[in-house]
Amino acid sequence: MASFTTNNKAPYTVLVEGNIGSGKTTFLNHFKQFQDVCLMTEPVDNWRNLNGVNLLDLMYKNPDMWAMTFQNYVTLTMLKNHIKQTENPVKLMERSIFSARYCFVEKMLSSGMIQPGMYHVLQEWYNFIYDHHKIQCDLIVYLRTSPEVVYERMKERARSEESCVPYQYLKDLHDLHENWLIHGHYYRPAQVLVLDANLDLDNIIGEYQRSETSILRPIVIENTNQVSILASPSKRERNMY
Ligand code: TTP
């Protein structure tokens, strides 16, 4: 297992973004081998079981009634992860309040799952959070996929709550991720490293490894008495936006 320490107390925070089924959890699992990386997986288990209530399921089955409550709870759980302290030099976090806001809430408004009044309340929350909390973000990793690929994956993994999600929903979410992370139509809190996440599990490790230099960049490697800093990634490696 690789071992790293750092002189810098503030964690270098990397947000992992991408469509439903793009492999965010798998990506985080790849970094388990680096013991000084704090991994913050998405609180989806909480969304599926809040004191016995499955909010994710309610949101998909009855969005008129539950989409607003669900997004409220997503925001709260995301904020908790954003502000969670760690002694580790690198914090790798699955999703963020940014994708909740710029992708999911936008999609819910445009498809009528939430009404303008609900949308504005959520916007007030996001603005309040931005104003009163330091949302650390030093890099965004975008696991870029095609909507066709993630649609097949979603059907294959068969999460029961998502059985009613049509292809068009993923296509629209894809376009929103592209508008935000590639075209910059919404606020990007850091540079975006784009990885090809269409690759299947057997071939994606190389793509994940391509991001290691960028993600572990601030970490000082202690190798016996010699201390060296990981080199900056080359332009080819970076594929930055
Ligand atoms: P994702 O956050 O995309 O997580 P995932 O488990 O699909 O990720 P991956 O396969 O890449 O590891 O979505 C989890 C579920 O929550 C999905 O059904 C979409 C839903 N969701 C919302 O409805 N609103 C939100 O703001 C977020 C973040 C997720």
Side-chain angles (χ1 to χ4, degrees):
M1 184 179 274
S3 171
F4 300 106
T5 56
T6 182
N7 299 326
N8 186 359
K9 273 275 177 193
Y12 181 80
T13 302
V14 181
L15 306 181
V16 182
E17 301 284 3
N19 207 345
I20 297 173
S22 57
K24 296 178 289 298
T25 306
T26 315
F27 183 83
L28 259 76
N29 285 338
H30 173 77
F31 284 85
K32 276 186 177 161
Q33 63 187 295
F34 302 107
Q35 67 183 21
D36 286 341
V37 177
C38 168
L39 298 177
M40 309 282 309
T41 48
E42 189 170 56
V44 68
D45 288 343
N46 301 52
W47 307 344
R48 300 175 90 184
N49 183 1
L50 176 61
N51 298 322
V53 179
N54 187 337
L55 291 174
L56 183 66
D57 197 46
L58 289 168
M59 179 274 292
Y60 278 127
K61 288 214 169 99
N62 189 354
D64 287 353
M65 184 117 152
W66 287 99
M68 173 65 181
T69 304
F70 178 73
Q71 285 307 136
N72 247 324
Y73 190 53
V74 167
T75 305
L76 175 65
T77 53
M78 286 292 179
L79 179 59
K80 282 182 180 173
N81 276 358
H82 277 297
I83 64 178
K84 204 167 272 177
Q85 304 277 324
T86 174
E87 288 299 307
N88 291 344
V90 173
K91 179 172 166 179
L92 200 53
M93 183 168 155
E94 185 174 358
R95 283 219 180 275
S96 64
I97 58 166
F98 301 108
S99 49
R101 177 180 194 173
Y102 301 135
C103 301
F104 288 94
V105 170
E106 289 298 323
K107 170 64 191 150
M108 286 179 176
L109 177 70
S110 65
S111 58
M113 294 166 76
I114 58 172
Q115 299 307 309
M118 300 168 179
Y119 175 84
H120 295 311
V121 170
L122 287 166
Q123 299 306 311
E124 292 271 312
W125 269 118
Y126 292 125
N127 291 336
F128 181 83
I129 288 167
Y130 290 2
D131 288 347
H132 291 84
H133 290 279
K134 170 97 181 84
I135 305 296
Q136 185 75 28
C137 176
D138 299 289
L139 177 71
I140 298 174
V141 173
Y142 176 28
L143 301 180
R144 196 180 199 185
T145 51
S146 73
E148 290 80 11
V149 165
V150 289
Y151 184 60
E152 288 308 316
R153 283 188 198 156
M154 187 185 68
K155 284 196 297 185
E156 229 167 83
R157 91 173 161 200
R159 195 183 263 160
S160 61
E161 295 88 344
E162 292 167 350
S163 59
C164 57
V165 176
Y167 167 79
Q168 192 58 43
Y169 197 79
L170 295 186
K171 169 76 172 78
D172 293 345
L173 280 175
H174 168 78
D175 292 344
L176 284 157
H177 279 84
E178 291 282 301
N179 285 343
W180 173 39
L181 295 172
I182 303 292
H183 307 304
H185 292 181
Y186 301 106
Y187 167 61
R188 290 179 294 198
Q191 270 199 308
V192 181
L193 173 66
V194 181
L195 301 185
D196 177 3
N198 276 333
L199 298 168
D200 59 28
L201 269 183
D202 292 337
N203 296 306
I204 200 137
I205 292 300
E207 195 66 4
Y208 288 173
Q209 284 167 342
R210 206 166 62 81
S211 71
E212 283 174 12
T213 314
S214 300
I215 290 174
L216 306 174
R217 187 144 54 119
I219 297 180
V220 176
I221 303 172
E222 280 185 2
N223 188 1
T224 56
N225 285 336
Q226 280 208 319
V227 176
S228 61
I229 298 178
L230 287 168
S232 290
S234 69
K235 273 198 177 133
R236 190 186 61 78
E237 278 175 316
R238 286 198 299 165
N239 202 10
M240 289 287 196
Y241 284 75

